[in-house]
Each structure stands twice: as structure tokens, then as C-alpha cells.
Amino acid sequence: MRMRILSAIQSLCITSCLWLSMHQPAAGQQDTLLAPLITDVPYRHLVNLDGSWHYIVDPYQTGYIDYRYRKTTQGFFLNRQAQRPDELVEYNFATSPVFQVPGDWNTQQPALTYYEGTVWYEKDFLYHPRPGKRVFLYFGAVNYHAVVGVNGQIVGEHIGGFTPFDMEVTHLLREGKNFVVVMDDNTRHKEAVPTNNFDWWNYGGITRDVYLIEVPQTFIQDYFIHLDDLRSRIISGWVQLNGPAAARSEVQLQIPEWHFSQKFITNGQGKAYFSVQAPPHLQLWSPEHPRLYQLVWVAGEDTLRDEVGFRTLSVQGENILLNGKPIFLRGVSIHEEAPFGGGRAFNKGQDHVLLTWAKELGCNFVRLAHYPHHEAMIREAERMGLMVWSEIPVYWTIDWTNPATLANAKEQLREEITRDKNRANVIIWSVGNETPRTPERLQFMQALVKEARSMDSTRLISAALQISRVQRDTSWLDDPLGADLDVLGCNIYPGWYGPSADEQARFASVYHKPLIMSEFGAGALAGYHGDSTQRWTEEFQYRVLNEDIRLLKTISFLRGTTPWILKDFRSPKRLLPYFQDGWNRKGLVSDRGQKKEAFYLIRQFYEDIASGKTCFGSQCFGP
Ligand code: GCU
């Protein structure tokens, strides 16, 4: 008898342990659940999950960790509600308040303005599975650490607040009612990317669109296309299929305006490389003529459209050549923040306002700092003729010797390049901003440069560096990382952080490479006027920028400027009452859309460059 009771207890334990192990994701197991990133999402067959999501603020992660601090299997992913009067369920999404997705929580709920921690999101949705279709759940971005569950089953985890991710959910969706639960934690960490210290608001939440992407069993997952040479007009690249019939399958590329159609056969990995010739009447993409062509891929049951531009990009000595011609990048730095009142920007309307201000400034270029912006921003800039510097948030004092930090930075870089590599206006991948000069940092950044080049040999690699030393009246840029970059970026703040530009007579570089002055500027409270020596007045900002421009005009190898910054932006580091109140005031435009006096100074500077009146060394950039 005793034996039977013992064996019964043993079998119960084995069963429950088995159940636990099945439902208790192994460390890192969720990472493996993510699917390869699907690109060209705006042109896919989408079910939009944006809109109202219930939320629960959970600073102690009660929905994920039990009282012994173990990952619980009874977590909020189950989306339970009490079924009996005596049942204990201490949460209820259905009766919890809602947030709008996309959007940060800080500006949707005043009590959460400064909240950093875990928030749960839940969305009920009806779905009708279509025979033969596969379904992927796609997030444009979730800041910072997301764990995703569908119908009670954890399906994926993602770390990084500014790049997309997706997971296959075909097997989890059911006819009719479904639900998705997201645990989002935006706590800052030393080992994170960015690390725990940065000069922008740590907006938490599902800050970009959420879709179900419906595709055939075998579908076109990704592709890369680029113009390689002006004279030969050779266009090359590759296309990647995903699914049971991916290998050794036919894929067709069509460019209707050229009456072009060509078929390729994928290899054993479902990938086909191609090289074709564009017609003589090919119209190149440029800021003046942002020409896009409709492109159609056909593979079995899948048809994928996109709009792409063709241009060439290279560096020749101290010149940056676009379509074989030296250009000057008349730019401005931009944070991904709504034009009025702050909060994450996430839609075309907001993008159009910000980019129209940049056009009014006379820009042909924008530095989208300090992290990849949402896809609609890149595409809107492409349509408006604005070239883009895109950057991963390897910012300030990253945890350089931590392998997990490097792996995270590489993954964010891969996701950024995967998503935007077909946008003709993206010309620079920046691997970081104002990182300190140490051997560990150099090794870390060189690994990122290598990763970027391995994915995309068609674009320029840069980073925002800092002046390394000042010798008497000369500021030297001799950061060793410069040797690995195609284009040098440098942030300087004479007259704001330190002596004025007039006291720095010369700016020199040990490299024979193009320079983009990626940051310079000063703060001003819009509407606050006074003497130009009175800090925070518009006159002070104007004077500092005027002195900066005098210095910039002496730099013969200068090929671009992106003054800091288009618009005042929120930062918890900016604490001066009345003048800052949690805002960084270096904007040329205020957070209410008021153009400060310095806006018109930069506009004149750019008019003089575009007209050929202002040249750099012997190089002019007039029509
Ligand atoms: C730095 C940094 C910016 C910051 C700026 C400032 O250069 O790159 O992110 O906002 O200075 O101090 O305003």
C-alpha cells in the first residue's frame, strides 16, 4: 500500500515539475522564440492592433515574480478573472484603465510622468484564421524590455527600446476571441543600451504600432536592393524567402515603370542574389528630386510591393559624394518627440511637422538622435528629400566590458539596418554618441563598425566623437575610433560648455576624412529676451551660434552640420526652475512651435552654403 501512495506522490511531482518546466521559460528561452524580422511592413497584409489596451502598473512585477522571487507560472499572461465568488485573482485587465497604443505612458497618465518600471498591457481582439496563412505578431518598438504572451502562452521577449521585433503566432491564434499580454519594463540599467544615464526622457510603453502580419506558408521575408554604379547602372542585392518552399524557388522582381521583370531562383537557404541593369532613363534619388519607383516582388502566392529610390554614395578624400557629386549635409538633430508638448512621436502627422520645420530651416539632412526612429519618420523624410543619419543608443558611458551589452548593441544595430536598408535617404549608420576614449570602448565600437559593414557595405559609418585635446588655440580631433569611420562626427559646445568659439581659433583633425559637426548649440527660453551675454535669452543663443558659425567656416574639411537641436525636448536632467523645468532648451524651435531668433541664423547659413556663397576650403556647394 505504502509503495502505491509513494508512487502516486512521485508521479504527481513529476507531472507538476514537467508542467512547470513546460511553462517556466528557461533563461533566454524567450530570446529564441523571436522570428526573423519581417521588413517592408507598411506594404504587408496587416491586422492593426493599435488603439485601447488595458494596463496595470506593477512596480514589483507581481504579475511575473512570486513571493520567493521566482518567475511564476500563474502570471498575468494568463489574463485570468475570478470564476467563482470565493476565487482569489488579484488582478483584472478587463476592469483596468486603458492606454492608447502606440504611445508612451508618461504623457498619457500624469501620475506616470516620471514612472520607470513595469507596466502590463492587455488587448482582446477577434481573429478569423485564414486557411494556409501564417501569422506573425509585430511590434514597431517597446521601450525597454518586453515579454509577450498570446492566449496565455509566452511567445517572445525583446530587449531594446527603439527597434522592431516579431514572433510567429499561427499556432496560438484561435477562431473568434483572442488576447495578447505584454509585460513592459523601462527600468534603466548600467548594462543596458542606452545605459542608466542619458539626456532624454525615458518614455516607457508600446511606443510604436502593433500588427498581426498575415503571409502565405512561404513568403518574402526580406530583401535588399541598391544601385552600385552610376555609369553601368548596375542594381544588385538579394531576396530572402521564409517557409517550407523557400529553397530553390522562383522569385520575380518587377519594376513596372521600366517595364522590367526578371526571375531568380533561391538557393538552399531560400535566398537569391541578383544583379541587373537599370534603363538609361533611370532617375536618381536626391534631396532635390526624391524619385521613388514602385517595386514588386512575386514568389508563389506572395506579392510584396515597396517604393524605393536609387542613388550612389561614397567618400572621396574629404568629400561626400551623392550620385558622384560633392554634397554638404545641411542638417539638424532631432529627437523622436512630438512637435508640441513632448511625448514619443509615432505618426506621420507629427513627423510631417518636424520635417517641415527642418525643410524651412533649409535642410537636406536630419540626424535622428540618439536611437532609430520609427519607420514612418524615415519614409516621410525619404519622400520629402531629407537624407538621414541613423544611430543606435550607444550613448556616453556604456558597460563596455559586458558581453551581454555588446550582444544587445549588435542586435539593435542589426534590427535597425534590417528595417531601413532599402531607404535611399539613409546614408549614415552611426554606432554611437560621445563615448569615452578607452581601449575597451574602442574594441566595443570597432565590433559594431564591423557588424554594420558586414550587413551593409553601401552606406557610410560614423559616430559622434568629441574633441580630444586642445593645444593653445587649436582643438584637435584625434579620437582613435576615427580611423575606423568613413565620416567623422564631432560634438562641440563652445560658448555653452566652456570657452567661446572665438577663443578656439582652429579646429583640426588628424584624419583626411569628411567631418560632420554633429552637435553645437546653446539653450534659450523662447520669448525670453535681453542682452546677448544673459544666458537663456534668445539673444545669447543667437550670439553663441553666430560665433560657432564663424568657427565652422574655417574648417576646410567640414561637409555637414546638425546643430543641437531642432526642438526643445524633455529631459529629467534639466532642472533649472523657470528656464528648464525638465526641458532641454537648445531647440531652434520651442516645445510650442515658436521659432527662436537662432532659427533664422542657421537658415541664412544654409542659404549661403546652398547658393555657393559660403564654401569650405576650395569646395563650394552651389547649384
Ligand atoms: C550632448 C549629447 C546630447 C545632449 C547635449 C546637451 O552632446 O549628445 O544628447 O542633449 O549634449 O548637453 O544638450
Side-chain angles (χ1 to χ4, degrees):
M1 183 61 173
R2 185 174 173 282
M3 282 304 290
R4 269 205 298 279
I5 290 174
L6 194 58
S7 63
I9 290 169
Q10 276 173 329
S11 64
L12 180 63
C13 169
I14 289 166
T15 310
S16 60
C17 293
L18 192 63
W19 190 81
L20 268 174
S21 65
M22 268 171 50
H23 293 80
Q24 183 94 6
Q29 180 217 342
Q30 290 103 334
D31 295 328
T32 58
L33 289 177
L34 290 183
L37 193 57
I38 297 174
T39 56
D40 194 20
V41 168
Y43 287 85
R44 302 251 183 200
H45 193 283
L46 305 176
V47 175
N48 193 319
L49 296 184
D50 291 349
S52 299
W53 288 52
H54 290 288
Y55 73 88
I56 295 172
V57 181
D58 182 10
Y60 287 78
Q61 291 196 330
T62 303
Y64 197 49
I65 306 289
D66 67 15
Y67 78 123
R68 294 290 185 232
Y69 214 67
R70 296 168 308 200
K71 283 184 184 174
T72 173
T73 57
Q74 298 301 312
F76 289 4
F77 291 108
L78 299 180
N79 185 22
R80 288 180 57 212
Q81 295 178 17
Q83 301 303 311
R84 300 184 317 276
D86 65 333
E87 187 178 6
L88 175 62
V89 178
E90 293 184 271
Y91 72 99
N92 186 337
F93 281 116
T95 56
S96 297
V98 297
F99 278 145
Q100 290 312 301
V101 167
D104 60 86
W105 62 59
N106 314 74
T107 55
Q108 292 195 63
Q109 172 48 267
L112 301 180
T113 299
Y114 279 91
Y115 179 73
E116 293 180 305
T118 294
V119 171
W120 292 84
Y121 288 80
E122 187 274 339
K123 175 87 176 173
D124 296 314
F125 61 95
L126 292 176
Y127 187 68
H128 309 293
R130 294 194 295 155
K133 294 295 182 187
R134 294 167 66 189
V135 191
F136 290 79
L137 177 59
Y138 176 94
F139 290 83
V142 181
N143 187 38
Y144 172 80
H145 179 180
V147 181
V148 179
V150 171
N151 293 335
Q153 169 69 40
I154 290 178
V155 290
E157 177 178 16
H158 184 266
I159 292 176
F162 306 97
T163 47
F165 58 100
D166 52 33
M167 54 224 89
E168 183 157 8
V169 293
T170 313
H171 57 299
L172 289 169
L173 295 178
R174 52 200 180 206
E175 172 58 41
K177 288 184 178 179
N178 295 268
F179 65 87
V180 54
V181 172
V182 177
M183 183 186 80
D184 175 18
D185 179 6
N186 79 331
T187 305
R188 288 168 291 119
H189 298 283
K190 174 178 179 292
E191 69 277 6
V193 179
T195 185
N196 45 14
N197 183 30
F198 46 85
D199 190 23
W200 67 83
W201 208 270
N202 183 26
Y203 291 115
I206 304 177
T207 51
R208 296 181 188 166
D209 294 317
V210 184
Y211 300 118
L212 292 175
I213 303 176
E214 293 178 319
V215 291
Q217 287 297 317
T218 295
F219 67 98
I220 302 155
Q221 171 192 305
D222 188 11
Y223 76 93
F224 190 12
I225 193 167
H226 42 82
L227 175 63
D228 293 340
D229 179 83
L230 281 180
R231 210 176 1 269
S232 64
R233 302 189 311 278
I234 295 299
I235 289 174
S236 59
W238 49 261
V239 56
Q240 176 69 61
L241 301 187
N242 178 317
R248 280 175 281 284
S249 286
E250 185 181 277
V251 188
Q252 187 182 51
L253 171 61
Q254 300 167 3
I255 303 180
E257 285 191 70
W258 298 347
H259 306 294
F260 173 91
S261 166
Q262 193 159 334
K263 292 177 181 175
F264 313 104
I265 302 298
T266 59
N267 61 20
Q269 288 70 44
K271 190 169 192 176
Y273 295 86
F274 62 88
S275 183
V276 298
Q277 186 174 38
H281 54 73
L282 167 67
Q283 293 178 324
L284 300 172
W285 187 95
S286 71
E288 297 74 25
H289 304 290
R291 181 71 161 87
L292 298 176
Y293 287 94
Q294 192 188 69
L295 168 154
V296 183
W297 287 106
V298 180
E301 298 170 44
D302 200 16
T303 298
L304 180 65
R305 300 177 188 288
D306 200 351
E307 285 192 300
V308 296
F310 297 103
R311 52 97 182 109
T312 61
L313 181 66
S314 60
V315 165
Q316 192 178 70
E318 295 174 345
N319 275 328
I320 298 171
L321 306 184
L322 180 76
N323 300 327
K325 190 180 168 201
I327 51 164
F328 189 94
L329 303 173
R330 308 187 308 272
V332 68
S333 294
I334 301 178
H335 259 302
E336 187 184 56
E337 194 174 70
F340 306 102
R344 276 278 166 253
F346 53 77
N347 67 39
K348 279 184 190 172
Q350 295 164 325
D351 303 341
H352 195 75
V353 172
L354 293 168
L355 296 173
T356 300
W357 286 342
K359 295 286 274 189
E360 287 172 2
L361 195 60
C363 294
N364 61 4
F365 179 61
V366 288
R367 177 186 179 215
L368 300 185
H370 284 293
Y371 37 75
H373 289 210
H374 55 285
E375 184 171 358
M377 181 72 162
I378 311 287
R379 287 181 179 265
E380 185 68 5
E382 187 177 47
R383 283 189 285 267
M384 293 176 71
L386 287 163
M387 293 174 281
V388 164
W389 160 310
S390 189
E391 185 167 289
I392 52 172
V394 174
Y395 180 95
W396 287 357
T397 52
I398 291 284
D399 193 3
W400 305 114
T401 58
N402 185 330
T405 303
L406 177 57
N408 178 1
K410 281 183 176 178
E411 183 54 31
Q412 292 191 41
L413 180 65
R414 281 194 290 269
E415 290 165 350
E416 171 196 46
I417 293 176
T418 299
R419 189 194 72 182
D420 295 334
K421 62 187 176 295
N422 290 320
R423 307 279 68 81
N425 63 325
V426 177
I427 61 169
I428 289 174
W429 302 122
S430 165
V431 292
N433 179 76
E434 294 192 354
T435 53
R437 287 181 51 169
T438 65
E440 298 78 11
R441 163 265 196 177
L442 182 59
Q443 193 175 358
F444 188 104
M445 302 301 273
Q446 287 173 332
L448 293 179
V449 172
K450 184 180 174 196
E451 185 71 23
R453 292 198 195 286
S454 72
M455 288 188 70
D456 179 5
S457 60
T458 72
R459 287 180 172 84
L460 307 176
I461 309 294
S462 188
L465 309 175
Q466 291 175 290
I467 292 168
S468 310
R469 58 193 160 98
V470 180
Q471 227 173 17
R472 287 195 302 280
D473 66 344
T474 301
S475 302
W476 280 97
L477 179 56
D478 60 1
D479 186 321
L481 179 58
D484 298 275
L485 305 177
D486 300 310
V487 176
L488 306 172
C490 189
N491 296 350
I492 59 169
Y493 281 94
W496 183 260
Y497 301 125
S500 80
D502 289 348
E503 296 167 80
Q504 293 180 25
R506 285 188 62 235
F507 183 100
S509 161
V510 300
Y511 302 104
H512 185 59
K513 294 184 177 182
L515 169 71
I516 294 171
M517 203 58 86
S518 39
E519 288 184 34
F520 58 96
L525 179 65
Y528 181 62
H529 293 281
D531 184 84
S532 68
T533 60
Q534 175 65 50
R535 203 174 276 259
W536 303 109
T537 61
E538 288 194 36
E539 289 76 10
F540 184 99
Q541 182 188 45
Y542 186 99
R543 175 180 58 75
V544 169
L545 278 163
N546 204 25
E547 290 167 6
D548 290 346
I549 288 171
R550 268 205 294 273
L551 172 63
L552 294 173
K553 287 181 175 178
T554 67
I555 304 173
S556 64
F557 53 95
L558 186 69
R559 294 298 180 268
T561 52
T562 49
W564 192 261
I565 187 171
L566 177 66
K567 178 193 81 72
D568 291 353
F569 62 95
R570 286 181 183 270
S571 168
K573 296 173 68 72
R574 303 302 172 176
L575 306 171
L576 179 61
Y578 183 73
F579 293 107
Q580 293 181 317
D581 288 333
W583 290 84
N584 183 311
R585 294 292 186 195
K586 296 187 183 69
L588 298 170
V589 183
S590 79
D591 60 291
R592 293 193 179 89
Q594 303 153 290
K595 294 185 177 77
K596 304 172 191 176
E597 288 179 12
F599 181 98
Y600 303 98
L601 176 69
I602 296 293
R603 188 170 73 172
Q604 185 60 55
F605 176 48
Y606 287 166
E607 283 175 8
D608 291 348
I609 294 170
S611 66
K613 182 179 171 190
T614 295
C615 302
F616 294 87
S618 59
Q619 187 63 57
C620 299
F621 300 93

